[in-house]
Amino acid sequence: MTPRLPSSRFNGWSIALHWLMAALLVATAATMELRGMYPKGSDARELMKTAHYTLGVAVFALVWLRLLARALQATPPITPAPPAWQAGMGRAMHGALYALMIGLPLLGWLALSAKGTPVGLLGGLQLPSVLAENPDTSHWLKEIHEAGATAGYVLVALHAAAALLHHYVVRDNTLLRMLPGRR
């Protein structure tokens, strides 16, 4: 029996989860950035905040599926292989992105709990409060959450730029490994 060669692409589940997460991250950011278009206290603004919370919970849930998929499938090799420093930068970038996809939803939940604000989700569900009400704690948790979101914008932009650089300049298969529908 011949040994099975490693795939040159991620499996379909990993690809689907990657692009679903990308869409969720864009939607999560958009709901907070665009809420300012509506007056404070308006139904539309409250809907944007509720959508943001719901999307954040979805990101938090799906990141664990991404990590499971990553643990169960060998990472397809980049061909031609990048220098060690580039591979290390890629691992660091992925680690930072995963840390943010776990940390930002938790920080948001903690900040709202400390503020005494119920975290209502679309569909009428509500997350339980996990901290005692404390305005000072809420303030600094919100500041960390917002700084992390800003760092997330930068990391996502760098991640996308690196994929495009690898595809169009380096001309390796980095991007092709994660594109849907290409065999």
Side-chain angles (χ1 to χ4, degrees), residues 17 21 57-69 97-102 105:
L17 282 170
M21 292 292 288
V57 169
V59 166
F60 184 76
L62 288 177
V63 73
W64 298 105
L65 287 177
R66 291 270 327 261
L67 288 167
L68 179 63
L97 287 168
Y98 281 112
L100 285 172
M101 289 185 283
I102 292 168

Side-chain angles (χ1 to χ4, degrees), residues 68 114 132 137-138 155 168:
L68 179 63
T137 301
S138 175
L155 289 174
Y168 290 108

Side-chain angles (χ1 to χ4, degrees), residues 73-86:
Q73 180 192 19
T75 301
I78 297 173
T79 309
W85 70 268
Q86 279 184 10

Side-chain angles (χ1 to χ4, degrees), residues 22-120:
L24 285 173
L25 292 172
V26 168
T28 303
T31 54
M32 273 297 102
E33 297 300 331
L34 298 176
R35 81 182 189 283
M37 294 175 22
Y38 304 101
K40 288 187 178 184
S42 69
D43 288 343
R45 188 177 179 112
E46 291 305 310
L47 177 61
M48 293 290 252
K49 290 188 332 189
T50 301
H52 179 77
Y53 306 154
T54 303
L55 291 164
V57 169
V59 166
F60 184 76
L62 288 177
V63 73
W64 298 105
L65 287 177
R66 291 270 327 261
L67 288 167
L68 179 63
R70 193 172 174 98
L72 294 177
Q73 180 192 19
T75 301
I78 297 173
T79 309
W85 70 268
Q86 279 184 10
M89 292 289 289
R91 284 189 300 276
M93 171 66 74
H94 284 103
L97 287 168
Y98 281 112
L100 285 172
M101 289 185 283
I102 292 168
L104 287 178
L106 288 175
L107 284 166
W109 184 13
L110 291 170
L112 289 169
S113 290
K115 186 178 179 183
T117 301
V119 183

